[in-house]
Amino acid sequence: MAASGIAGAGLTLLNRFSSAASSSSSSSTRCRTRSVTMAVSTDQKPKTNEKLTLRKSEEAFAAAKELMPGGVNSPVRAFKSVGGQPIIIDSAKGSRMWDIDGNEYIDYVGSWGPAIIGHADDQVLAALAETMKKGTSFGAPCLLENKLAEMVIAAVPSIEMVRFVNSGTEACMGALRLARAFTGKEKIIKFEGCYHGHADPFLVKAGSGVATLGLPDSPGVPKAATYGTLTAPYNDFAAVEKIFEDNKGEIAVVFLEPVVGNAGFITPKPDFLSSLRKITKENNSLLVFDEVMTGFRLSYGGAQEYFGITPDITTLGKIIGGGLPVGAYGGRRDIMETVAPAGPMYQAGTLSGNPLAMTAGIQTLKRIKEAGTYEYLDNITGELVQGIVEAGKKAGHAICGGHINGMFGFFFTQGPVYNFTDAKKSDTAKFAKFFWGMLAEGVYLAPSQFEAGFTSLAHTSDDIKKTIAAAERVFREI
Ligand SMILES: Cc1ncc(COP(=O)(O)O)c(C=O)c1O
């Protein structure tokens, strides 16, 4: 869009709001924050934003769109649900990220979860440099795999044996095939708004980018791939009972995020997880906790340790790779011995267990195993969420939020939010305005109402205070 005489950054922000928030009935006129004018009507001239210049990001993204679908390699990065375009990151350290225009942000995305000790940790980088001297991939066993496997098995209550893969998607694919192979049954129960990676059988009422883009399913997924996928609302045990009743003897597995992070942050009702544990046992079905996000984040032993419920199989990713590509699935020994070459269920990977990913994972786990990790995350994250929610309410917005240790979220709705239907009552246009207001204040939040946020050991009390102060300013203006 051309607009002569309007400074670049201001125009950028105008365009963002034009696409994301202009449908908001609550704001027909522009609203100003200290740092940026957020115009929601195209006939208003925006003011120049002195703090946030995004010219280089704009150029780079224009080039990226010619090279990669939508300009990105993972959909949610494209900022579709908040409008506008992504900022292009140059570097990250500790709790901070810098874009290629030189803007600095306090980061609450943490690479979508892995960065629990902060970005580019010195110890992790030093260990990686040492490992790299010996080679980056062998396609053959190495000692580092034993080391990380020992650490994971010692930490996660359900895991007696583990298989490393390269992503959370692969971990969930493997876990599902394993559950079907072990039980000899095919049907699965998953929950609306839960995301288990992009493998065909899971792309039914999935969360994360699928929710963000409002895609009910994905073209290209054959009916045959999802015929056995049955869905229930999260936190609705009666719906799960009914599915078991209607599909007697056919359910291989109940597969879920024990705390949802891909429909926003949603916690389980008190008896939900224990009821799932009970019904799966009674029906000779398996219970899989997808802890790709919650593993080592809610506690060192993950959500299963935090809630005291042990599933049969667990999937992991993110933190156990310390920022390098990793996933894993593990569980009871008798179940895991179904996996090839110990057993007949095939699953393999050229780069699985590669020394770099194992090294970053080992160093990261060593650090978070130290005393005080989760108390610290609880303190700063609690302060953050309480500060944001209180500031929002004070400014007259409907908002609710919560956290468990280093994982958090808030919704622009009164709440309570127990499932994806509740989450979708959120005012997403208002979220978009809040997101851009915070970005202009130097705070990088997940660019979607339907994603969880993450803190790290590198976030300081000062970071939290600055973030809350920024939120107070932005809430007053949106
Ligand atoms: C709970 C959960 N499972 C699976 C995945 C897929 O992991 P990946 O993106 O590494 O393939 C994600 C990704 O965010 C996730 O949050």
Side-chain angles (χ1 to χ4, degrees), residues 13-33 35-41 52 79-84 397 410 412 427-441 443 445-449 470-471 473-478:
L13 288 158
L14 170 70
N15 289 344
R16 288 197 178 98
F17 282 96
S18 298
S19 58
S22 60
S23 60
S24 164
S25 56
S26 58
S27 308
S28 57
T29 55
R30 66 185 179 173
C31 8
R32 289 194 63 192
T33 70
S35 58
V36 59
T37 295
M38 296 181 292
V40 294
S41 139
L52 197 60
F79 280 29
K80 287 264 186 197
S81 76
V82 291
H397 301 291
F410 52 90
F412 279 96
D427 184 341
T428 52
K430 191 179 273 184
F431 175 82
K433 285 191 235 171
F434 182 70
F435 170 83
W436 280 107
M438 291 299 277
L439 200 73
E441 291 273 357
V443 177
L445 297 168
S448 166
Q449 173 72 102
R473 288 191 289 275
V474 175
F475 276 131
R476 281 199 293 272
E477 305 298 337
I478 61 173

Side-chain angles (χ1 to χ4, degrees), residues 74 112 166-170 172 194-198 208 257 259 261-262 290-294 315 317-318 326-327 451:
S74 195
W112 301 97
N166 302 289
S167 68
T169 293
E170 268 190 74
C172 293
C194 282
Y195 180 65
H196 306 295
H198 61 84
S208 190
E257 292 178 69
V259 168
N262 286 288
D290 177 354
E291 297 229 40
V292 167
M293 199 178 264
T294 55
T315 60
K318 299 190 192 268
V326 161
E451 299 285 355

Side-chain angles (χ1 to χ4, degrees), residues 364-409:
T364 301
L365 296 199
K366 266 190 194 162
R367 183 73 65 79
I368 55 177
K369 195 167 188 288
E370 287 170 14
T373 291
Y374 297 93
E375 290 78 2
Y376 182 77
L377 292 174
D378 181 32
N379 283 340
I380 57 164
T381 319
E383 188 186 336
L384 174 74
V385 174
Q386 196 184 342
I388 289 177
V389 170
E390 274 175 10
K393 285 188 176 158
K394 208 167 152 202
H397 301 291
I399 185 167
C400 64
H403 83 287
I404 296 178
N405 294 333
M407 182 172 171
F408 70 92

